[in-house]
Amino acid sequence: MTLFAEYGIRCEALPLVEVADAVPEAEMTVEMHPNGDGYRLFVVHLTAGPIEDVEAAFESAGFVGEYSLIGAVGDRRRYKIVPGVSMEGQLGDAVDDLDDLRALAATDFLMEEIRVTRTGWVQAGWFADRDVLERFRAFWQRNGGFRLRRLSREADPAAPADGLTDCQREALLTAREMGYFEVPRTASLGDVADELGITASSLSERLRRAQDRLVERAIETPINARTAESQR
């Protein structure tokens, strides 16, 4: 039975983690594509963060061989990155068995999203069965950390209609799970920020934006419903 899973990997040697660490305000998702030489091209979607600082971090990142801007809409940017080193070269000193890493790439899984954080990646995708997911969990648990965030069977989980970005939703859920919204609080802003691998100021901004969006949606929905009812 197929499974859809979202999980966090703690490994600071993963590609572009150093960029996220240098620019904690940045929100980046990544697509990986094989090219004709057997290497992977990375397509980075930047949805938040100072553009100049992100590009400066690209320049200094050891993993980035070349990068180019391939699309821009508003404050959103899309970059193509040609790696300067292979994945094995990037992770060779950070994992205990490169053969196991290569074996993971040959398993029956389909990655849908990779989100870069200051401490690793948050990945979401399809797995042929629980055994395949367990291989990923066991490998990354040995080599830094693995945290399952969401797991569902068969049907693709519907995207929430709350208007939040993935990072905003993750910040809210993590803060709630850790007790940041409890009275009295059982976790501080710094505690939640450490769990997410971002600064306290970045977390505060995400929470404010997320709360503002939820309030906006909560107010708009009843108004729109009343308007539609009055027009019948």
Side-chain angles (χ1 to χ4, degrees):
M1 181 178 292
T2 57
L3 297 171
F4 184 88
E6 181 183 60
Y7 53 91
I9 296 171
R10 180 175 290 272
C11 178
E12 295 178 1
L14 282 165
L16 303 175
V17 170
E18 59 187 307
V19 175
D21 187 51
V23 192
E25 301 86 357
E27 295 183 10
M28 295 182 293
T29 58
V30 174
E31 301 172 16
M32 294 190 296
H33 303 279
N35 63 15
D37 297 326
Y39 296 96
R40 286 186 177 274
L41 295 175
F42 279 57
V43 177
V44 176
H45 300 262
L46 178 68
T47 57
I51 296 168
E52 297 81 3
D53 292 349
V54 171
E55 292 184 350
F58 284 160
E59 293 282 353
S60 60
F63 178 77
V64 178
E66 301 175 8
Y67 76 91
S68 56
L69 178 66
I70 58 175
V73 178
D75 59 354
R76 297 171 179 263
R77 296 290 188 274
R78 181 178 297 179
Y79 295 91
K80 181 177 73 173
I81 290 179
V82 179
V85 296
S86 66
M87 285 289 284
E88 289 86 353
Q90 177 76 11
L91 296 174
D93 294 332
V95 301
D96 60 3
D97 193 327
L98 283 175
D99 287 337
D100 276 1
L101 179 64
R102 296 186 189 99
L104 287 182
T107 57
D108 293 327
F109 84 102
L110 178 63
M111 199 58 59
E112 288 201 351
E113 182 181 81
I114 299 170
R115 188 163 72 253
V116 185
T117 74
R118 294 181 67 192
T119 58
W121 284 358
V122 176
Q123 298 187 160
W126 290 97
F127 295 79
D129 51 42
R130 189 173 290 274
D131 287 342
V132 176
L133 177 58
E134 175 59 22
R135 290 181 64 179
F136 275 76
R137 186 206 65 77
F139 178 84
W140 288 113
Q141 195 65 56
R142 293 197 318 268
N143 290 285
F146 179 97
R147 180 186 176 192
L148 186 64
R149 296 170 179 264
R150 181 160 52 111
L151 182 65
S152 60
R153 297 178 182 275
E154 297 295 346
D156 189 1
D162 51 25
L164 301 176
T165 68
D166 288 340
C167 288
Q168 290 169 352
R169 188 177 300 107
E170 179 187 16
L172 280 175
L173 291 174
T174 303
R176 183 175 183 274
E177 290 173 0
M178 294 181 67
Y180 177 74
F181 296 118
E182 292 182 9
V183 180
R185 285 176 174 164
T186 57
S188 69
L189 190 70
D191 293 334
V192 181
D194 288 343
E195 177 67 20
L196 293 170
I198 61 177
T199 64
S201 61
S202 294
L203 173 61
S204 178
E205 180 180 349
R206 286 186 193 179
L207 291 177
R208 288 198 306 271
R209 290 180 182 275
Q211 290 166 333
D212 179 70
R213 185 57 178 157
L214 289 177
V215 170
E216 181 184 23
R217 298 278 293 188
I219 293 174
E220 282 181 350
T221 300
I223 291 176
N224 291 340
R226 289 198 300 270
T227 301
E229 182 67 26
S230 67
Q231 291 175 347
R232 290 179 182 175

